[in-house]
Amino acid sequence: MLQIYCPYCQELREETEFSYSGEAHIARPLEPQQLTDAQWADYLFFRTNPRGIHHEMWYHASGCRRYFNATRNTQTYEIYETYPLGQQPALTCDIGGKR
Amino acid sequence: MIKCHSETIRTPLCDAVLAITSDTNAGIYMRENTFGHLNLRGNPTDKAFLSSIETVLALNLPLIPCSSVRSDVFSVYWLGPSDWLLMVPIGTESQVAADLRDSLMGQHSAVVDISSAQALVNLSGVKLPELLQKAIVYDCDPTHLPVGKVVQTTFAKTGVTLCRCEDGSIDLIICRSFSDYFTLWLRDASAEYGLAVVDACLSRPKVSAQT
Amino acid sequence: MSQPNRLSVGGRIDRSKPIEFSFNKRSYEGYAGDTLASALLANGVNLVGRSFKYSRPRGIMGHGAEEANALMQLGQGAVTVPNPKATQVELYSGMVATSTNGWPSVEFDLMAWLGKLGGPFMPPGFYYKTFMFPQAWWLRYEKFIRKAAGFGHISQQPDPDIYDKLNHYCDVMVIGAGPAGISAALEAGRNGKRVILADEQCELGGSLLASQQNINGASASDWLGTAVTELASMANVVLLSRTTVFGYYDHNFLAALEQRTDHLGPTAVKGTRQRLHRIRAKAVVLATGAIERPLVFGNNDLPGVMLAQSVSAYINRYAVVPGERALIMTSNDSGYQAALDIQSAGRTVVAVVDCRYHAEGRLAQMARAAGIEVITGHGVIEACGSHSVTGAVIAPLDQAGDQITGAQRSVSCDLIAMAGGWSPVVHLSCHTGSRPVWDEQLIGFVPGPNVQQQYCAGAVVGHYTLAHALSGGAAVGAEAAGAKVPEIHFDCGDETEAQAQALFLIPHSKSVSRAPKQFVDFQNDVTAAGIELAIREGYESIEHIKRYTAMGFGTDQGKTANVNGVAIAAKALHQSIQATGTTIFRPAYTPVTFGALAGRDVGSLFDPARYTATHQWHVAQGAKFENVGQWKRPWYFPKAGETMQQTLNRECLAVRNSVGIMDASTLGKIDIQGTDAREFLNRIYTNDWSNLKPGKCRYGLMLKEDGMVFDDGVTTCLSENHFLMTTTTGGAAEVLAWLELWQQTEWPELEVYFTSVTDHWVTYSLVGPNSRKVLEQLCNDVDLSAEAFKFMDYKAGTVAGIPARICRISFTGELSFEVNVPANQGHFVWQQIIAAGEAYDITPYGTESMHILRAEKGYIIVGQDTDGSLTPQDCGMDWIVSKTKAFSFIGQRSLHRSDTARSDRKQLVGLKPKDPAAIIPEGSQIVMDPNQQIPMDMVGHVTSSYWSVCLDHGIAMGTVKAGFSRMGETVYCPLVDGRTLAAEICSPVFYDPNGERHHD
């Protein structure tokens, strides 16, 4: 069971207070009607699903009910950082992260 | 049955099958305290918003995460960056809500009466720490949950909002429709300690203002 | 004489408390402090079971969790416990224990003949190669195999015991209370940290419980007593004995099982039998010790072949010597301790057979000085005996221990103690994902690199001397506490040992495949020959070898087998142990009951049951309830003597002819307000909300981004920027999270707030031609007339004096008013409505009638008629999909995908049974041709189906491929009982198609 730092409540909480919400930093296309089916499918269904560093969203369902982002290693489950919506991660694959 | 307040009002725990007991040797004591509950939303970085609140309540909204503020009349819990719970004396919720809405006119805010949606239960007793360990995954040790701290977390399979009172007891806010489950669970978990149910009370312990 | 193997003095047992118990229906006596194993050995009982595959006679070989053979069946009836290891069972008065296999008895087992004769035909993997043909006979084989295999049995009765859970947080979690763990806990505790110390045994102390050494002048026993007293006095230290930390999970989360009353026996149980401790630790100290390895030689599984350290433990801790004439075989110095202990206990040591060429270590010298014969450069190549050890064959070995170099000879003995080296208990560190590392010097695997904030001390990292375990423990205890490492010195005497030999398999005069079976994994009957065979067959990865031979699969997780197996495999593969690697371990370290995992979330506490404010009234009326999500909703309100159908008929007729009342409080209610509330609704619903005025309600449909129907409900405009959204009962939480998701992550610029008010308001639907007349009596501040209060209007006022919100919404097609009041006053208002409705014979109705009434009108129920795979168009609801909204609402783009544009999609239609009396079962599959071959081409299924008393025939809704273009066609539903029901595709609006009734 993970222990996750909620950036709003500003403390570590147990995973059971949260629910997972998929890959982060996916912006909804502003003009969906302009996209081809393939492009729309890419937004709708396809995810990077990496081994290693993953940026994902979590929802503090039994807490402050805010969504936030996390950078987690999908192999080791280590959570490197959590950060509010609208911010960029400090740790990415390109910036000295482990693979 | 916990005594009901008036002919027309049945608070969430009214239907819970709990006999009032006068056991003085119980490990856990439980009482239902009844307040009006208002949910308050607004922008904490907006001075106008903060000032509008202060004008009506005569206290400052808690801005530090998981903190609370009290006056003789009101308690305010921080629930989120733009989310607060305001507890007011029972029966005054409509007036307080109306006063707040007036004060907040034109500002992006919300005041929603949720008085019937929640119940507040106070738990105390020498066995309280172990009981909390059975139900709650949050670290309720006094060093981690000191007086005035507010934590929203899980209680067994439902949600709860906790606050440590000055006397060391814990106020728990539970959702109305889960109150039966809550009391069943509480009775089961406290069976080995002894559970005494104190009559529901309209007043609450007086505590000083905290941030 | 009772207890022939019991010594008259010594041990930690209490001779003043004798305990009666039975094993395989014979009575014996033991003492308080015994395990079942020590008590059996004390009584000279060593044949305790039969092995898994070959049914060979087996005895007790160890003294703790590493025991592979002595699986027991404890107790009877509902409290019977399958497969505890006799070495971990604390003896209690009246204990009833039996072997788990052996028929007709453990002494004379028919299966053993199968094992002897069939053994050569049952190599590893034989199940993959046999019992294949004919395929139809597989079930016959399976019955026989199931009976022949396996160990204990479970009770078929409900578990009468109670289990619970406790959540902990601590600064330092110390796992294992041997010398290293105790030392670490003392340091951390003295530094004021929150410490938890857990040990699987009934007493803290680990190896100290059997140690004869001194620590700084005090006996190990006295030192232990003082240490435990100090730990117990610290308020910041939690001591958990009888507690096995069985799993080490992410972020220093651990799970431990405490056996609170198993040692008292089933009838003495009061309170919880077992407790699951869930621990979040800042730092973890693994002080889990090491397990002694057996040596692999011919017939090393005979009763009487035991681990050397276990023999010492039985002598020193339990005052039991499990034999009269002992032979010791060792590849290192520690085997000599058993020889010395056996001799001190007054029994004969035939010899110590040391596989090494030179035995000049301190303990070897002590043995010689005590007159014990030491034979170096030799090995025991075979144990002799049929049901227990009666002798052994010894032969000289070469220096590598690969070959026999001379003549063999036989000796007589009844106990063979084997000391094959030490395997650190690395299991918990493996749980974290760290792979153990082979240490050439230690001849064992040690924990790999730390993944988490973890420290190790004691035998688990090869600190095998007592002094090193104590000092190492103190050091990590201080480190874990963030404190300075103390300068303590532990004087435990001379503990020097000579270098051990890396020897695992003792050669036999015959080849491995021909020699008497040389066991590696006792519990799963895996032999050295089996491992070599697996490799010959091409299974060269240690992961494959494990799975092909079943090595390490048992309840002991191969604790005594793993390293020997890896070493033998490495040799056969001509590579190093390092290169061969090892399989790793998953939780649980030892078996965990399901009861402990379930805790108190059983029975009525399994899942929360949610109730409305009116529940007690429903109960008093005799309502039957159904589960809708977690809620208990009245299903129907039977009167005395009514069948369910009669009740439904009565309820539906009452609603359509007079007035009914239903408690709809469970539907989700979300308060939505802000200047962008309207814009937000436009983005989240399919229809247009731009011009919904205050005081008006509108039905809304919500899609997921893939275009599929997700939820629906009526949303009311309370004021220009203020709305009340309703959702389905089951969807309430999901919808709220959905709204927050979009506002927070995608449209934070929209000024809108959401607040759940589901529990704050009760909602009572007053339904039927007389509904207005009932409500008028209670409401004098709202004009309820048809002209003033139109269909889909909302007004605020009072009902029975209570502030209320009233909406004229209909889910039944009848005139109806939904009354919302704060839930604290709900019960009161409900009673007033009932009283006011008496004159009209007001009829409470439940969810079943509600379903029938809406189905007659063709209204869908999301989650019943839809399943996440239907678009609005599939449901015939294209009318609710706006074509003019500026914003591309959630799901809109997906409605134009090639897949959602297909004309042969499943479409929701009405179904009228050809036989008017028929009710097609919900879930029935629909086919076009009932006479086609099986498997039939299924074109849809029935989603809702009821008897309609108002229409006097059965009605149904279902999905049918291209259903809209098939109006009037007949489809068929083949049923499970062999019948086929025919139905005509029609409009789902069976009743009042022009909707005249609810507009009155």
Side-chain angles (χ1 to χ4, degrees):
Chain A
M1 173 150 81
L2 307 181
Q3 206 184 24
I4 304 172
Y5 185 86
C6 174
Y8 303 104
C9 296
Q10 291 181 10
E11 58 179 2
L12 286 166
R13 297 290 186 94
E14 297 296 299
E15 184 185 342
T16 42
E17 291 186 12
F18 300 88
S19 69
Y20 175 72
S21 198
E23 187 175 328
H25 304 301
I26 298 176
R28 186 178 197 255
L30 290 173
E31 303 290 342
Q33 307 296 54
Q34 314 264 14
L35 301 185
T36 63
D37 272 2
Q39 290 169 326
W40 183 245
D42 193 65
Y43 157 68
L44 204 55
F45 298 119
F46 288 87
R47 298 292 177 264
T48 54
N49 194 26
R51 163 185 278 188
I53 290 185
H54 185 236
H55 304 289
E56 56 197 33
M57 291 198 296
W58 285 85
Y59 175 53
H60 199 178
S62 298
C64 62
R65 296 187 311 111
R66 298 296 105 192
Y67 284 86
F68 58 92
N69 297 313
T71 304
R72 180 180 65 93
N73 186 311
T74 57
Q75 263 192 297
T76 66
Y77 286 26
E78 184 181 350
I79 296 180
Y80 302 111
E81 57 178 341
T82 57
Y83 50 106
L85 293 173
Q87 288 185 16
Q88 290 300 306
L91 184 74
T92 64
C93 287
D94 308 316
I95 310 174
K98 296 177 224 161
R99 280 207 171 265
Chain B
M1 301 279 242
I2 289 187
K3 196 177 69 185
C4 301
H5 304 288
S6 77
E7 257 186 38
T8 67
I9 294 181
R10 286 170 74 89
T11 61
L13 290 181
C14 278
D15 290 333
V17 184
L18 290 168
I20 304 292
T21 65
S22 54
D23 179 359
T24 48
N25 281 330
I28 304 288
Y29 291 87
M30 168 187 178
R31 66 198 292 156
E32 183 188 13
N33 290 335
T34 313
F35 301 99
H37 297 238
L38 299 175
N39 182 267
L40 178 60
R41 312 297 293 279
N43 184 352
T45 64
D46 181 352
K47 290 203 166 33
F49 170 70
L50 297 176
S51 146
S52 300
I53 302 294
E54 206 253 325
T55 303
V56 175
L57 302 181
L59 45 66
N60 292 313
L61 279 183
L63 299 182
I64 295 172
C66 305
S67 66
S68 64
V69 169
R70 290 176 195 267
S71 67
D72 281 349
V73 188
F74 302 121
S75 312
V76 187
Y77 286 0
W78 183 100
L79 300 181
S82 58
D83 195 355
W84 295 267
L85 174 65
L86 171 60
M87 283 185 282
V88 306
I90 187 83
T92 69
E93 56 270 14
S94 301
Q95 188 58 55
V96 176
D99 292 344
L100 284 169
R101 288 181 194 126
D102 279 343
S103 184
L104 291 165
M105 189 74 68
Q107 297 180 45
H108 175 42
S109 59
V111 181
V112 181
D113 185 355
I114 51 170
S115 301
S116 286
Q118 309 187 136
L120 189 146
V121 173
N122 178 273
L123 293 180
S124 59
V126 296
K127 286 299 187 180
L128 182 62
E130 193 170 287
L131 177 74
L132 295 176
Q133 280 183 276
K134 286 188 181 182
I136 296 175
V137 294
Y138 187 79
D139 185 2
C140 294
D141 185 81
T143 55
H144 210 243
L145 183 67
V147 175
K149 186 167 179 183
V150 172
V151 169
Q152 297 166 93
T153 182
T154 56
F155 181 103
K157 288 190 176 181
T158 182
V160 72
T161 302
L162 307 169
C163 185
R164 170 89 60 190
C165 303
E166 253 193 17
D167 63 357
S169 66
I170 301 267
D171 277 347
L172 293 82
I173 296 180
I174 54 170
C175 178
R176 161 179 269 281
S177 57
F178 286 95
S179 55
D180 187 81
Y181 169 75
F182 173 84
T183 51
L184 276 178
W185 214 97
L186 190 65
R187 263 176 44 200
D188 182 82
S190 55
E192 59 171 313
Y193 314 128
L195 173 69
V197 180
V198 178
D199 196 5
C201 179
L202 292 182
S203 66
R204 66 182 161 75
K206 302 232 182 293
V207 295
S208 52
Q210 307 243 357
T211 316
Chain C
M1 176 205 150
S2 82
Q3 303 196 53
N5 286 338
R6 181 81 69 183
L7 300 169
S8 56
V9 292
R12 295 176 81 93
I13 44 134
D14 187 350
R15 291 175 181 77
S16 72
K17 296 196 177 108
I19 293 180
E20 299 281 325
F21 69 100
S22 90
F23 172 64
N24 285 347
K25 300 201 170 98
R26 292 203 196 97
S27 292
Y28 300 96
E29 187 186 86
Y31 294 120
D34 263 331
T35 60
L36 177 58
S38 63
L40 286 170
L41 289 172
N43 282 279
V45 175
N46 202 6
L47 177 54
V48 296
R50 290 281 172 162
S51 71
F52 183 61
K53 196 161 88 175
Y54 303 122
S55 290
R56 289 166 66 99
R58 290 290 170 81
I60 296 159
M61 60 168 285
H63 68 288
E66 76 286 354
E67 174 60 39
N69 290 329
L71 300 185
M72 295 284 144
Q73 188 76 34
L74 269 195
Q76 295 152 316
V79 294
T80 190
V81 183
N83 300 333
K85 304 173 181 72
T87 52
Q88 292 192 296
V89 172
E90 291 177 59
L91 198 67
Y92 57 79
S93 177
M95 176 181 286
V96 175
T98 57
S99 305
T100 55
N101 52 12
W103 187 86
S105 73
V106 143
E107 288 83 9
F108 180 73
D109 182 20
L110 282 180
M111 286 305 301
W113 287 102
L114 183 66
K116 277 211 176 86
L117 298 172
F121 301 107
M122 293 197 289
F126 83 99
Y127 350 89
Y128 307 127
K129 301 168 188 159
T130 52
F131 306 117
M132 305 269 274
F133 299 103
Q135 196 179 26
W137 276 39
W138 171 238
L139 288 171
R140 292 193 211 183
Y141 295 141
E142 201 212 1
K143 246 193 243 171
F144 170 71
I145 290 172
R146 277 197 189 283
K147 225 179 138 82
F151 291 112
H153 64 270
I154 56 170
S155 165
Q156 301 295 309
Q157 298 170 49
D159 187 336
D161 290 320
I162 295 180
Y163 308 79
D164 64 6
K165 301 182 190 180
L166 220 52
N167 298 309
H168 300 266
Y169 285 82
C170 66
D171 297 313
V172 183
M173 171 82 217
V174 181
I175 303 171
I182 295 228
S183 201
L186 278 171
E187 270 317 299
R190 287 170 183 156
N191 276 290
K193 297 299 170 189
R194 292 163 82 182
V195 177
I196 300 175
L197 173 63
D199 192 281
E200 65 187 356
Q201 299 204 56
C202 61
E203 276 191 89
L204 305 180
S207 61
L208 294 171
L209 296 168
S211 171
Q212 303 297 301
Q213 289 179 266
N214 283 346
I215 303 171
N216 293 347
S219 70
S221 184
D222 285 346
W223 185 92
L224 174 62
T226 309
V228 172
T229 302
E230 185 183 345
L231 287 168
S233 74
M234 294 192 228
N236 53 321
V237 174
V238 172
L239 299 177
L240 295 172
S241 60
R242 295 192 176 93
T243 302
T244 307
V245 178
F246 63 82
Y248 187 174
Y249 304 97
D250 300 303
H251 305 175
N252 269 1
F253 183 80
L254 303 117
L257 179 69
E258 179 187 3
Q259 300 192 279
R260 311 189 82 209
T261 59
D262 284 278
H263 62 287
L264 299 172
T267 53
V269 172
K270 286 273 177 286
T272 56
R273 174 192 170 200
Q274 296 180 353
R275 172 169 285 171
L276 183 70
H277 296 272
R278 304 163 81 246
I279 302 157
R280 183 75 69 184
K282 293 213 176 79
V284 169
V285 173
L286 295 181
T288 46
I291 287 171
E292 191 166 42
R293 283 196 290 274
L295 286 158
V296 183
F297 56 95
N299 294 331
N300 63 334
D301 67 324
L302 269 176
V305 181
M306 301 178 66
L307 295 171
Q309 190 205 31
S310 298
V311 174
S312 290
Y314 283 117
I315 293 170
N316 294 321
R317 189 168 164 193
Y318 301 101
V320 172
V321 196
E324 298 283 333
R325 287 177 57 83
L327 185 68
I328 289 90
M329 171 165 53
T330 183
S331 61
N332 58 85
D333 273 10
S334 44
Y336 288 90
Q337 188 61 54
L340 291 164
D341 290 336
I342 292 166
Q343 193 185 60
S344 301
R347 305 297 193 262
T348 306
V349 177
V350 174
V352 174
V353 177
D354 195 323
C355 308
R356 299 171 293 177
Y357 267 44
H358 303 287
E360 305 306 324
R362 177 182 54 91
L363 284 164
Q365 290 178 22
M366 283 170 67
R368 286 199 187 91
I372 295 172
E373 184 185 354
V374 175
I375 306 171
T376 55
H378 278 63
V380 173
I381 67 170
E382 183 179 329
C384 306
S386 63
H387 284 50
S388 67
V389 171
T390 55
V393 179
I394 305 173
L397 307 175
D398 67 352
Q399 203 146 23
D402 282 339
Q403 294 182 30
I404 293 172
T405 58
Q408 57 197 48
R409 61 179 167 108
S410 300
V411 297
S412 88
C413 56
D414 64 355
L415 169 64
I416 301 175
M418 35 180 195
W422 298 95
S423 297
V425 178
V426 299
H427 305 61
L428 289 178
S429 86
C430 288
H431 295 179
T432 68
S434 175
R435 299 201 77 92
V437 172
W438 179 254
D439 187 316
E440 205 65 48
Q441 220 271 319
L442 287 176
I443 314 174
F445 284 97
V446 292
N450 287 347
V451 172
Q452 305 194 36
Q453 184 79 338
Q454 174 199 305
Y455 304 84
C456 297
V460 74
V461 278
H463 299 167
Y464 292 139
T465 65
L466 182 53
H468 202 174
L470 290 164
S471 61
V476 306
E479 264 187 81
K484 200 166 78 87
V485 174
E487 311 232 340
I488 325 178
H489 176 67
F490 292 98
D491 177 9
C492 306
D494 184 1
E495 300 188 83
T496 51
E497 291 201 3
Q499 177 61 30
Q501 182 182 15
L503 186 60
F504 309 92
L505 172 62
I506 311 296
H508 194 270
S509 43
K510 301 200 181 112
S511 71
V512 166
S513 54
R514 299 250 176 274
K517 289 186 165 37
Q518 302 155 312
F519 284 89
V520 175
D521 183 325
F522 296 87
Q523 194 167 117
N524 276 23
D525 269 351
V526 179
T527 60
I531 293 172
E532 293 190 356
L533 174 68
I535 291 168
R536 280 203 301 279
E537 295 200 10
Y539 295 97
E540 293 183 345
S541 152
I542 191 65
E543 299 286 350
H544 287 150
I545 294 168
K546 170 185 175 177
R547 284 155 180 82
Y548 194 63
T549 61
M551 177 180 78
F553 268 34
T555 67
D556 61 338
Q557 260 189 337
K559 289 176 173 55
T560 51
N562 198 54
V563 174
N564 284 337
V566 167
I568 291 168
K571 200 150 199 181
L573 290 164
H574 306 295
Q575 60 190 30
S576 68
I577 291 179
Q578 217 125 13
T580 307
T582 174
T583 55
I584 54 173
F585 307 93
R586 280 189 253 253
Y589 177 69
T590 47
V592 178
T593 59
F594 282 108
L597 297 173
R600 293 306 296 140
D601 297 326
V602 294
S604 58
L605 294 175
F606 174 68
D607 207 31
R610 298 174 73 174
Y611 300 97
T612 68
T614 334
H615 184 74
Q616 290 302 333
W617 190 93
H618 301 321
V619 170
Q621 292 299 305
K624 301 285 182 221
F625 293 88
E626 72 159 346
N627 298 329
V628 184
Q630 291 173 318
W631 294 89
K632 297 285 187 203
R633 297 194 67 182
W635 190 20
Y636 60 103
F637 289 81
K639 289 199 166 137
E642 277 183 339
T643 63
M644 181 176 174
Q645 191 60 58
Q646 287 169 334
T647 305
L648 300 174
N649 293 347
R650 176 175 56 76
E651 289 179 2
C652 290
L653 287 170
V655 168
R656 293 226 184 272
N657 292 331
S658 179
V659 60
I661 181 168
M662 190 191 70
D663 185 352
S665 305
T666 62
L667 271 65
K669 297 177 274 294
I670 302 173
D671 183 287
I672 302 178
Q673 47 185 294
T675 49
D676 293 318
R678 211 175 274 277
E679 171 62 22
F680 186 88
L681 292 176
N682 273 339
R683 296 186 184 190
I684 213 88
Y685 272 137
T686 61
N687 45 343
D688 195 338
W689 297 79
S690 313
N691 52 18
L692 186 72
K693 294 185 170 28
K696 299 297 287 182
C697 312
R698 178 169 291 167
Y699 171 72
L701 191 70
M702 213 179 276
L703 312 179
K704 282 273 169 91
E705 193 74 286
D706 63 358
M708 305 303 159
V709 171
F710 158 46
D711 207 87
D712 68 349
V714 171
T715 292
T716 302
C717 182
L718 302 173
S719 69
E720 188 54 37
N721 293 327
H722 193 183
F723 296 82
L724 189 351
M725 171 189 281
T726 63
T727 75
T728 60
T729 296
E734 209 189 325
V735 170
L736 179 61
W738 180 248
L739 303 180
E740 294 284 6
L741 173 70
W742 286 104
Q743 195 279 327
Q744 290 183 36
T745 68
E746 204 62 50
W747 309 314
E749 73 282 1
L750 291 186
E751 289 193 340
V752 58
Y753 288 120
F754 312 104
T755 309
S756 168
V757 291
T758 303
D759 279 57
H760 176 73
W761 297 96
V762 291
T763 306
Y764 301 143
S765 301
L766 201 48
V767 184
N770 289 326
S771 54
R772 180 184 288 116
K773 294 189 186 126
V774 175
L775 192 56
E776 270 167 351
Q777 298 170 55
L778 299 168
C779 181
N780 53 21
D781 53 3
V782 177
D783 185 349
L784 298 168
S785 68
E787 305 75 38
F789 204 141
K790 295 200 171 12
F791 180 57
M792 298 305 265
D793 272 1
Y794 150 72
K795 292 184 193 297
T798 63
V799 172
I802 307 297
R805 292 173 173 172
I806 308 170
C807 301
R808 213 187 120 180
I809 308 170
S810 178
F811 196 40
T812 59
E814 299 302 323
L815 171 69
S816 73
F817 296 87
E818 284 196 359
V819 174
N820 296 275
V821 296
N824 281 350
Q825 283 133 328
H827 190 263
F828 168 73
V829 170
W830 176 278
Q831 288 180 311
Q832 303 309 305
I833 298 176
I834 294 291
E838 262 178 41
Y840 301 95
D841 197 25
I842 187 169
T843 302
Y845 68 99
T847 51
E848 192 66 20
S849 292
M850 181 261 289
H851 277 207
I852 298 170
L853 295 165
R854 64 88 203 177
E856 289 171 346
K857 292 296 294 177
Y859 296 142
I860 61 166
I861 286 188
V862 172
Q864 167 141 354
D865 301 298
T866 70
D867 61 1
S869 70
L870 295 180
T871 64
Q873 287 79 11
D874 296 336
C875 299
M877 293 171 73
D878 185 55
W879 55 266
I880 203 175
V881 179
S882 167
K883 316 293 187 290
T884 57
K885 281 199 288 191
F887 192 90
S888 181
F889 58 85
I890 301 297
Q892 185 188 40
R893 174 63 184 82
S894 288
L895 298 177
H896 307 292
R897 290 187 285 146
S898 54
D899 189 64
T900 46
R902 281 187 296 116
S903 58
D904 66 337
R905 286 179 65 81
K906 285 185 181 170
Q907 294 165 342
L908 200 59
V909 293
L911 296 164
K912 187 171 169 182
K914 289 282 187 181
D915 170 9
I919 305 173
I920 312 172
E922 283 175 0
S924 298
Q925 294 295 316
I926 297 171
V927 302
M928 303 306 299
D929 170 14
N931 301 313
Q932 63 183 292
Q933 289 274 51
I934 286 171
M936 295 188 170
D937 184 28
M938 292 170 279
V939 299
H941 73 283
V942 175
T943 61
S944 296
S945 178
Y946 315 97
W947 173 255
S948 166
V949 65
C950 298
L951 300 166
D952 201 31
H953 63 80
I955 59 169
M957 265 198 270
T959 60
V960 178
K961 270 189 191 162
F964 298 149
S965 57
R966 292 185 186 279
M967 289 294 150
E969 287 183 33
T970 304
V971 292
Y972 302 88
C973 299
L975 303 185
V976 178
D977 60 13
R979 294 179 296 144
T980 297
L981 294 177
E984 178 189 310
I985 298 179
C986 58
S987 158
V989 187
F990 293 95
Y991 180 81
D992 181 28
N994 295 327
E996 287 151 3
R997 291 180 68 86
H998 66 217
H999 282 288
D1000 289 340

